[in-house]
Amino acid sequence: PSDAIYTVAGNLCEAGDLFAINYLMPKAQEGDVLAILGAGAYGAVLASPFNGRPKPQEVMLLEGEPVLISNGAGEQGIANRA
């Protein structure tokens, strides 16, 4: 696939919720995964239940293979936590 220009945004409605603006990268295909290494409040360190969002899952690459190391708040999210 050829390259394309993208703006990469998070899923919250915040003005600063942009990771890249008009950024040239390989053309995305369905099923692709984009790793963002410095994700601010989307990462575990700064994560909070802001806007009812669950904490994120964390994945580590171990010898090139993805390994789930934290389940975050899970599929149930914060609404169903005891």
Side-chain angles (χ1 to χ4, degrees):
S2 60
D3 291 343
I5 296 175
Y6 293 95
T7 293
V8 180
N11 61 359
L12 298 175
C13 298
E14 297 293 322
D17 201 17
L18 299 170
F19 298 108
I21 299 171
N22 297 329
Y23 192 80
L24 182 66
M25 55 187 171
K27 189 170 183 177
Q29 303 290 318
E30 186 173 338
D32 284 353
V33 175
L34 176 64
I36 300 174
L37 303 181
Y42 284 96
V45 174
L46 294 175
S48 74
F50 176 74
N51 279 349
R53 305 294 301 175
K55 288 192 173 185
Q57 293 181 328
E58 294 178 277
V59 176
M60 175 179 72
L61 291 178
L62 181 62
E63 297 179 6
E65 296 297 318
V67 177
L68 183 65
I69 60 171
S70 169
N71 233 353
E75 289 183 1
Q76 301 301 317
I78 64 168
N80 296 323
R81 279 195 267 172

